[in-house]
Amino acid sequence: MKPGIFITGTDTNVGKTVVAAGLAMVLKSRGFKVGVMKPVATGCQGPDHHLISMDAVFLWEAAENEFPSLSSPSRYRNPLAPHVAAQVERKEVDLKQIHHAYRELQKNYDVIIVEGIGGLMVPLAKDYFVANLIREFQLPIVVVSHSGLGAINHTLLTIDAALIRGFEVKGVIFNRVPVANVSLAELTNPKVIHELSGVPILGSLPEMPDLNIDSCHYGQLKEVFEERICVDKIISMPALPV
Ligand SMILES: Nc1ncnc2c1ncn2[C@@H]1O[C@H](COP(=O)(O)OP(=O)(O)OP(=O)(O)O)[C@@H](O)[C@H]1O
Ligand SMILES: [Mg+2]
């Protein structure tokens, strides 16, 4: 087993792709071969025989991966939970293919970063959730959350669901935290969430105006991630030979 991390979130659209790409860029800049994966992607674009996930593109460009079909083994056009998209598009999520892709990535890279789909309880198939995939991949998780009003409830629910299942929660990353005009909730939530959950806060990312997933622009993501996120608490890599 290669080291790895599963980036999940309190919700969809919360910043999992941004966090996974930022982590990939930092680890790559430290000399590691980083494999990235979006096991199931919905809301994909392009012709039916060549659907493309912009999340996966953003990840594999960040990590400079050379096996797109391993990074993005299962794709759907409709922006729905995978199990629902699978029903609408009459194409079941192929869990065997996903596991095969994950094993192949492990053979080719030093470390694997997997981006989740929505949150922990998003269904991929009948009676099979993102949480089941995490268990089978045997990966620790990072929870990405917003930091504003509502974050305490969303984050604690996610941490609770993870801990009940025996997952190792490396910590929480807050995303799109304003640098000016911070609300009282944004100011106080990280400490409260840490105190109530006992889970480490790994840092927060600000709004980055030059970052755009659809056009694959990273702006200052690598530098900002390096500066503001405790990468060593997410994943401790063995020293590279000199
Ligand atoms: N720190 C940030 N600064 C600027 N834009 C951001 C930031 N974080 C996320 N975004 C933008 O917000 C949107 C959602 O972010 P992202 O795609 O990373 O979320 P996600 O949790 O991966 O969503 P999904 O559940 O669809 O995979 C994207 O359009 C992204 O470009
Ligand atoms: Mg994403």
Side-chain angles (χ1 to χ4, degrees), residues 23-98:
L23 180 61
M25 290 169 110
V26 170
L27 291 176
K28 197 177 154 295
S29 72
R30 294 183 183 179
F32 298 105
K33 282 184 74 185
V34 184
V36 287
M37 186 179 198
K38 177 86 183 179
V40 187
T42 61
C44 294
Q45 302 157 19
D48 282 349
H49 62 280
H50 195 235
L51 283 174
I52 287 182
S53 153
M54 281 318 293
D55 274 16
V57 173
F58 196 74
L59 294 179
W60 82 58
E61 291 281 331
E64 293 181 32
N65 277 194
E66 55 270 75
F67 309 111
S69 61
L70 299 182
S71 294
S72 182
S74 180
R75 301 176 302 281
Y76 293 88
R77 183 179 301 286
N78 288 279
L80 293 166
H83 183 42
V84 187
Q87 287 173 329
V88 170
E89 297 178 35
R90 296 173 189 276
K91 186 179 70 174
E92 269 182 36
V93 174
D94 188 341
L95 294 168
K96 274 197 186 135
Q97 187 189 6
I98 291 169

Side-chain angles (χ1 to χ4, degrees), residues 9 11-19 38 42 55 58 115-119 144 175-177 205-214 217 221:
D11 201 353
T12 187
N13 223 30
V14 79
K16 296 180 297 294
T17 305
V18 169
V19 166
K38 177 86 183 179
T42 61
D55 274 16
F58 196 74
E115 179 191 341
I117 305 102
V144 183
N175 186 34
R176 302 189 102 157
V177 177
L205 294 175
E207 182 71 28
M208 289 173 270
D210 296 337
L211 184 150
N212 190 311
I213 292 181
D214 289 333
H217 281 100
L221 179 58

